[in-house]
Amino acid sequence: MRVYFTAIISLVLLISAVSAEKNHLPRFVSLKSNEINQRVGPGPNYPIEWIYLKAGLPVEVIAEFDNWRKIRDKDGTEGWVHQSMLSSKRRAIVQGAETLIYSAEDTQSHPLVRLEPDVIVDVLKCRGDWCQVRIFDFKGWVQRAFLWGLYPGEVIG
């Protein structure tokens, strides 16, 4: 009986830890759908201020109220969207100038693909100054400084 009770307590603590980890603020997420209404307040009765038309766009969750999330996009626009419109899948936007995807975490390694500014990539892992990304069938490494949607020093994967 004591082992059973200990196992239940451990499971509850694990679930609480995972839930708390997923809900920290701020955090980056991505848009699930091609058409998402951003509202001036947390609810369906608030006016629509902006309509996002790009699934996969990374945004930063900066506040929560019930099932609503206040988000900020790359341009600094803020507003509220329903949580069902957001995905935990990590993506990033190429910022600044063109950049390259390399075969390894080194600018001397083989360049695989040239990325234009504002292209969205899937983020697979990040460590140090480099992130492993995927776009279409290409997978390689990009310098973190060229990506928006990541925190400095954040480790992913």
Side-chain angles (χ1 to χ4, degrees), residues 110-137:
H110 181 68
L112 301 174
V113 178
R114 183 177 308 276
L115 298 173
E116 296 286 328
D118 296 323
V119 167
I120 297 173
V121 295
D122 294 329
V123 178
L124 306 176
K125 59 175 90 167
C126 289
R127 54 184 182 220
D129 294 333
W130 290 87
C131 293
Q132 187 180 42
V133 300
R134 178 178 42 235
I135 184 166
F136 302 114
D137 291 334

Side-chain angles (χ1 to χ4, degrees), residues 87-149:
S87 168
S88 61
K89 186 163 184 164
R90 293 300 296 272
R91 293 193 166 98
I93 299 175
V94 175
Q95 63 180 354
E98 279 185 352
T99 191
L100 297 172
I101 294 181
Y102 293 95
S103 59
E105 301 167 76
D106 184 351
T107 56
Q108 300 303 310
S109 67
H110 181 68
L112 301 174
V113 178
R114 183 177 308 276
L115 298 173
E116 296 286 328
D118 296 323
V119 167
I120 297 173
V121 295
D122 294 329
V123 178
L124 306 176
K125 59 175 90 167
C126 289
R127 54 184 182 220
D129 294 333
W130 290 87
C131 293
Q132 187 180 42
V133 300
R134 178 178 42 235
I135 184 166
F136 302 114
D137 291 334
F138 298 99
K139 183 167 96 172
W141 295 88
V142 174
Q143 291 174 297
R144 182 191 297 261
F146 291 104
L147 300 173
W148 185 90

Side-chain angles (χ1 to χ4, degrees), residues 7-24:
I8 290 174
I9 295 297
S10 297
L11 183 60
V12 168
L13 291 174
L14 177 63
I15 291 169
S16 296
V18 169
S19 296
E21 182 177 300
K22 283 187 177 184
N23 293 324
H24 72 279

Side-chain angles (χ1 to χ4, degrees), residues 5-87:
F5 181 72
T6 303
I8 290 174
I9 295 297
S10 297
L11 183 60
V12 168
L13 291 174
L14 177 63
I15 291 169
S16 296
V18 169
S19 296
E21 182 177 300
K22 283 187 177 184
N23 293 324
H24 72 279
L25 291 174
R27 67 180 178 279
F28 282 102
V29 297
S30 56
L31 302 181
K32 267 189 190 178
S33 172
N34 279 328
E35 190 171 320
I36 295 176
N37 296 330
Q38 179 182 295
R39 299 181 179 275
V40 298
N45 297 327
Y46 285 92
I48 296 170
E49 184 174 46
W50 190 260
I51 299 174
Y52 288 102
L53 299 174
K54 181 72 176 164
L57 185 74
V59 293
E60 185 178 27
V61 176
I62 57 174
E64 298 180 339
F65 178 78
D66 197 23
N67 291 325
W68 293 84
R69 304 295 179 256
K70 187 172 188 181
I71 61 169
R72 178 185 304 131
D73 66 21
K74 177 180 173 258
D75 299 321
T77 302
E78 295 181 5
W80 293 86
V81 300
H82 194 272
Q83 70 177 2
S84 66
M85 297 288 103
L86 302 175
S87 168

